[in-house]
Amino acid sequence: MYKAISSLSGRCAALTRGSFSRPSLAYFHRASGALCQKSAFKPTSTDVPEMPPCNFNPEKYTGMSKDRMIEIRRQNCNPMTMKVTYYKKPVFIHQGYMQWLWDVDGRRYLDLFAGVATVSVGHCHPKVTAAAEQQLKKLWHTTNIYVYPTLHEYCEKLASHFPDPLKVIYLTNSGSEANDLAILMARLHTGNYDIISLRGSYHGGSPQTIGLTSNAAYKYPVASGFGCTNTMCPDVFRGPWGGSHCRDSPVQTIRECTCAQGHCMANQQYIAQLKETFATSVPNKIAAFFGEPIQGVGGAVQYPKNYLKEAYKLVREQGGICVADEVQTGFGRTGSHFWGFQGHDVIPDMVTMAKGIGNGFPMGAVVTTPEIAASFSKGLHFNTFGGNPLACAVASSVLDTIREDDTQQNSLRVGTYLITELAKLRDKYEIIGDVRGKGLQIGVEMVRDKASRDPLPPEAMAEIFEDVKDMGVLIGKGAIYGQTFRIKPPMCITKEDADFFVAVFDKSVRNYIKSKSLSINLNNLITSVFTFV
């Protein structure tokens, strides 16, 4: 037995050397400050793609130790804080500037998740920072029981970005709060109660909005979300119907399609499912339909091009109003338009927003028509912090910066390029099932294989996810089964940043495939050797 094991060890060593010698890649070398994670079955090379330069020098970190932070996180923070912590080896963030983050050790990361699609124009953008500092010297807080300039200046500026009749604004502190308020306003205005949203959607985690959110991971075993019904999501990649020219994206699915130009069988089928929901699951009259122009937490899922237009028509026939949740898609992120709903050629009755509205400053808003807003005044509603002077000053500067920096056009230009380059990796690797999105709202769905479209297992997703981080890039994950990588960076990233990420992601996928192949070969070798013995 000893000799058999010794022989096996030698053969494994030879297999490792022979099977995983890599061709020289001139554009790969060690990046300063980025470490490449290794496991027992990964190649030993530490070469990683070169990170683009950055001329910003962060402050040296001299604060609390990492061990102490984790100790406090475990002892004094709610256990949910540990549960949602990304990575086996967490990232300890110290400072940020534009598209870059630095950890407490001075290691630099390209941030392609933007604090969950929240940092719109860049971390600590100089213009927004200056606006915040100026307001801090004048007035931090008062409420809208008084009249103060920043509130009215901002509301006028935000309203100018909407078509008629969407001109009335109520400011909140978050997206959940905005959607919660939209539910109340819809029910008050219509006199109806039931609300429909799409499966896989995320509209918040409050007791009301959790009914709209359709993902078991966010559900608790308590009564919540009364009157909310989830209908089939028109996902043209994973859903039962889909084709090769269904969605408004630079890249279409890998599914074949026989539809004539201008005709979409998939859209017809998904609209039929919505009609079935009206016929079986809700009363004859409903209050509202909530839909994200592109699903965010759901994994950047896009619908057939005319789905929302036809859905809005059906909803209005049932007495409901149409709500566009722009928490993640708004403020130019999709590139082609300032608001995601504009890409669907629809005008909703109400729009909710947050995240990018304040570039990371807590803020949200509900924008609606004068008629719907008037219904809200039947009672009294007060929000202590909503629309406070500091929030309004920051949000106003964000709108100015989007215009001055041409951020929306950058989202279109860099986003289209990045999606197109990622699609080349989809064509290269069997486990990359779909690349989709618009502008800088991008999803990469990972699968076991393209034929089945079954989700790549969580442990495989985690391995690639960790490897991407160790090479200096931060991305997100999402979708029902956690099978989609989410790329939603600050909208100031460059083409060079996109190239860097594509090289990192390419290498991470390759590393995973090689490690899996080696693991299988080793297991087969062990089985054969011990069978022989």
Side-chain angles (χ1 to χ4, degrees):
M1 183 65 73
Y2 175 78
K3 289 182 178 179
I5 294 174
S6 298
S7 175
L8 174 62
S9 300
R11 290 173 67 186
C12 289
L15 178 63
T16 303
R17 288 192 300 270
S19 300
F20 292 96
S21 57
R22 293 179 177 171
S24 175
L25 299 174
Y27 62 94
F28 282 152
H29 66 81
R30 184 184 296 275
S32 175
L35 302 177
C36 186
Q37 182 194 22
K38 307 181 190 70
S39 70
F41 297 116
K42 282 195 175 179
T44 57
S45 173
T46 57
D47 290 346
V48 300
E50 181 179 5
M51 184 177 287
C54 173
N55 59 10
F56 181 83
N57 294 315
E59 299 175 4
K60 183 178 180 180
Y61 179 75
T62 58
M64 186 181 294
S65 72
K66 290 187 284 188
D67 288 342
R68 180 59 179 151
M69 279 191 271
I70 289 296
E71 183 181 4
I72 292 172
R73 199 173 181 87
R74 293 184 186 280
Q75 292 180 357
N76 302 118
C77 297
N78 189 284
M80 186 58 69
T81 308
M82 277 304 302
K83 186 174 182 178
V84 301
T85 300
Y86 266 10
Y87 305 113
K88 297 174 184 176
K89 298 177 182 177
V91 180
F92 294 79
I93 298 298
H94 163 49
Q95 194 167 352
Y97 182 76
M98 301 306 284
Q99 67 268 47
W100 303 105
L101 290 170
W102 287 263
D103 69 11
V104 298
D105 298 317
R107 182 176 299 139
R108 178 161 58 103
Y109 296 91
L110 175 63
D111 182 11
L112 295 189
F113 201 34
V116 192
T118 299
V119 178
S120 48
V121 296
H123 292 283
C124 300
H125 191 293
K127 296 175 185 176
V128 181
T129 301
E133 290 174 345
Q134 184 178 12
Q135 186 61 43
L136 280 168
K137 295 174 183 177
K138 293 180 182 178
L139 181 65
W140 289 29
H141 176 74
T142 186
T143 73
N144 52 29
I145 63 173
Y146 304 113
V147 181
Y148 48 95
T150 50
L151 171 67
H152 305 87
E153 291 167 359
Y154 180 66
C155 285
E156 181 182 42
K157 190 178 293 185
L158 181 61
S160 71
H161 287 274
F162 283 94
D164 289 329
L166 295 168
K167 295 296 180 181
V168 183
I169 296 163
Y170 194 96
L171 299 175
T172 66
N173 304 291
S174 70
S176 291
E177 198 176 80
N179 281 326
D180 203 275
L181 188 59
I183 291 172
L184 175 60
M185 293 172 75
R187 286 171 171 166
L188 284 171
H189 181 69
T190 63
N192 304 324
Y193 193 74
D194 285 70
I195 298 175
I196 295 174
S197 65
L198 299 173
R199 292 177 196 158
S201 64
Y202 183 88
H203 297 286
S206 69
Q208 283 290 341
T209 57
I210 201 67
L212 299 178
T213 294
S214 178
N215 186 322
Y218 297 94
K219 302 285 190 178
Y220 288 90
V222 296
S224 62
F226 294 109
C228 295
T229 298
N230 309 128
T231 193
M232 180 181 285
C233 175
D235 182 347
V236 296
F237 173 71
R238 177 161 297 282
W241 305 286
S244 56
H245 54 260
C246 295
R247 61 194 183 198
D248 179 21
S249 174
V251 175
Q252 298 295 327
T253 73
I254 56 173
R255 301 175 75 168
E256 295 183 359
C257 181
T258 58
C259 296
Q261 190 68 31
H263 175 78
C264 183
M265 180 274 293
N267 184 59
Q268 289 183 336
Q269 294 289 352
Y270 288 119
I271 287 295
Q273 288 296 311
L274 179 57
K275 291 179 179 178
E276 188 77 5
T277 299
F278 282 126
T280 63
S281 304
V282 295
N284 291 331
K285 296 294 182 180
I286 66 170
F289 168 84
F290 276 69
E292 303 160 271
I294 299 174
Q295 285 193 343
V297 176
V301 173
Q302 291 182 277
Y303 325 128
K305 293 173 187 174
N306 289 318
Y307 179 82
L308 280 187
K309 183 181 287 187
E310 295 184 35
Y312 275 25
K313 182 176 183 293
L314 291 173
V315 168
R316 286 166 174 155
E317 289 173 355
Q318 300 294 125
I321 67 171
C322 302
V323 183
D325 183 336
E326 295 274 0
V327 169
Q328 294 198 28
T329 50
F331 299 94
R333 179 163 290 280
T334 62
S336 61
H337 300 86
F338 200 83
W339 305 110
F341 70 79
Q342 294 170 316
H344 293 272
D345 193 24
V346 297
I347 297 180
D349 305 294
M350 197 180 302
V351 182
T352 58
M353 65 205 71
K355 291 187 180 290
I357 191 173
N359 198 45
F361 195 93
M363 193 175 185
V366 179
V367 181
T368 190
T369 68
E371 292 75 21
I372 295 173
S375 301
F376 187 46
S377 63
K378 293 175 182 177
L380 186 64
H381 185 89
F382 180 73
N383 190 312
T384 301
F385 296 104
N388 67 76
L390 185 55
C392 288
V394 169
S396 184
S397 179
V398 169
L399 287 179
D400 292 342
T401 302
I402 290 172
R403 183 189 70 253
E404 293 165 5
D405 290 5
D406 204 14
T407 303
Q408 180 183 329
Q409 185 60 33
N410 190 65
S411 291
L412 177 63
R413 182 175 58 252
V414 178
T416 300
Y417 174 77
L418 178 53
I419 293 168
T420 304
E421 291 300 301
L422 287 170
K424 295 176 183 177
L425 298 186
R426 178 200 64 182
D427 298 339
K428 179 179 178 181
Y429 296 112
E430 181 68 12
I431 64 170
I432 301 179
D434 195 29
V435 173
R436 54 181 176 257
K438 285 183 65 178
L440 291 173
Q441 176 95 342
I442 303 170
V444 180
E445 184 159 345
M446 309 298 288
V447 295
R448 288 182 183 272
D449 58 80
K450 287 184 169 73
S452 70
R453 303 196 300 277
D454 290 340
L456 194 67
E459 59 274 15
M461 290 291 294
E463 186 173 338
I464 297 169
F465 192 55
E466 198 89 14
D467 205 19
V468 169
K469 179 262 294 182
D470 287 343
M471 282 191 273
V473 182
L474 305 180
I475 58 176
K477 287 190 294 185
I480 297 294
Y481 306 104
Q483 79 276 18
T484 300
F485 291 119
R486 298 164 64 195
I487 298 114
K488 300 169 185 185
M491 295 185 286
C492 57
I493 68 162
T494 66
K495 183 174 176 288
E496 290 70 30
D497 299 330
D499 286 333
F500 172 59
F501 169 63
V502 171
V504 165
F505 191 62
D506 185 12
K507 187 171 179 63
S508 296
V509 172
R510 220 167 350 111
N511 285 349
Y512 166 73
I513 292 172
K514 288 181 178 180
S515 69
K516 181 182 178 184
S517 176
L518 179 55
S519 179
I520 292 172
N521 289 338
L522 287 171
N523 287 335
N524 291 340
L525 186 57
I526 290 170
T527 301
S528 64
V529 168
F530 282 95
T531 300
F532 174 76
V533 171

